[in-house]
Amino acid sequence: AQSVTQLGSHVSVSEGALVLLRCNYSSSVPPYLFWYVQYPNQGLQLLLKYTTGATLVKGINGFEAEFKKSETSFHLTKPSAHMSDAAEYFCAVKDNQGGKLIFGQGTELSVKP
Amino acid sequence: GAGVSQTPSNKVTEKGKYVELRCDPISGHTALYWYRQSLGQGPEFLIYFQGTGAADDSGLPNDRFFAVRPEGSVSTLKIQRTERGDSAVYLCASSLSAANTEAFFGQGTRLTVV
């Protein structure tokens, strides 16, 4: 069965610092991987996705993620945090037998001024 | 519509009551998904429709939960004999098809069972 593990339920960085949110997945087939962001009282918004091709994926708001098959990882990064990045971030893998997404537990990002 | 619409945005009900949650997907999207998100957790899959039929309902927790999509557009999630443990945010998403990689989410319905 496929699964997603996000290391760290809460990450705090200073404004301008590097953001690194960790995600590891388990899948027996080449995965489709996603990062979503959720602002308070809002739905999920797609940040970026990996399906095939280039392993470094660029998304919205300056975020990017790198698919590393050897490490079964898909960590999310941003070179310089902004106050508006404070939110909950979810990593997900698409089920290989259908369309559903399997989510990690989420990582809450706080940005200090 | 422009996005996935869910109504109501908030619902408070008494234990034992019946509730219906509605989802209006993006026009033309054939695949529709329901997820449940408990406090501090990631969304958990409940059921998904391809057209009018439920293609996968393996995430429904028990037979108190049921969902329909009679005309292949709007979907209703129905919960009978609600319990306090059903309190959560119920999220709906749609995509062009199940094979299409991007799903668009609504803002959710926050259900509170008192």
Side-chain angles (χ1 to χ4, degrees):
Chain A
Q2 292 170 296
S3 65
V4 173
T5 302
Q6 291 183 242
L7 299 176
S9 59
H10 186 241
V11 170
S12 182
V13 300
S14 297
E15 192 173 20
L18 171 71
V19 175
L20 171 61
L21 305 183
R22 299 177 186 273
C23 172
N24 287 87
Y25 69 90
S26 170
S27 177
S28 58
V29 298
Y32 286 3
L33 295 160
F34 303 80
W35 275 99
Y36 281 86
V37 61
Q38 186 176 37
Y39 297 101
N41 299 314
Q42 294 190 25
L44 297 166
Q45 180 182 7
L46 181 67
L47 272 179
L48 49 78
K49 64 183 179 185
Y50 169 79
T51 54
T52 58
T55 56
L56 181 63
V57 181
K58 295 186 185 298
I60 62 171
N61 301 339
F63 284 93
E64 61 183 38
E66 187 170 11
F67 168 61
K68 291 187 176 180
K69 183 179 178 181
S70 62
E71 298 178 7
T72 60
S73 70
F74 191 56
H75 302 329
L76 182 71
T77 60
K78 181 173 180 177
S80 176
H82 192 272
M83 297 296 290
S84 61
D85 294 327
E88 187 91 19
Y89 292 80
F90 293 96
C91 182
V93 62
K94 189 175 177 75
D95 179 64
N96 61 353
Q97 294 185 340
K100 69 186 180 191
L101 293 170
I102 299 163
F103 287 88
Q105 297 278 63
T107 298
E108 183 181 358
L109 176 65
S110 300
V111 182
K112 299 175 291 187
Chain B
V4 178
S5 175
Q6 292 188 246
T7 54
S9 55
N10 281 281
K11 176 71 176 177
V12 180
T13 190
E14 293 181 347
K15 180 175 177 295
K17 298 291 189 183
Y18 167 84
V19 296
E20 290 189 351
L21 311 179
R22 177 187 169 105
C23 173
D24 264 290
I26 293 172
S27 179
H29 281 195
T30 63
L32 183 148
Y33 310 82
W34 284 100
Y35 294 85
R36 178 168 71 173
Q37 186 176 20
S38 300
L39 194 63
Q41 303 292 319
E44 293 180 307
F45 169 77
L46 295 175
I47 183 170
Y48 102 86
F49 292 86
Q50 182 60 50
T52 60
D56 182 353
D57 65 357
S58 62
L60 294 177
N62 51 60
D63 61 6
R64 294 187 298 106
F65 288 74
F66 189 73
V68 295
R69 194 185 186 200
E71 297 178 355
S73 178
V74 171
S75 177
T76 305
L77 179 66
K78 307 180 180 191
I79 311 174
Q80 298 177 320
R81 305 183 302 280
T82 52
E83 300 177 356
R84 293 196 177 88
D86 298 335
S87 296
V89 175
Y90 290 81
L91 295 168
C92 178
S94 70
S95 63
L96 278 172
S97 70
N100 188 278
T101 57
E102 183 166 356
F104 296 84
F105 282 80
Q107 293 196 338
T109 294
R110 182 176 299 278
L111 175 67
T112 304
V113 182
V114 297

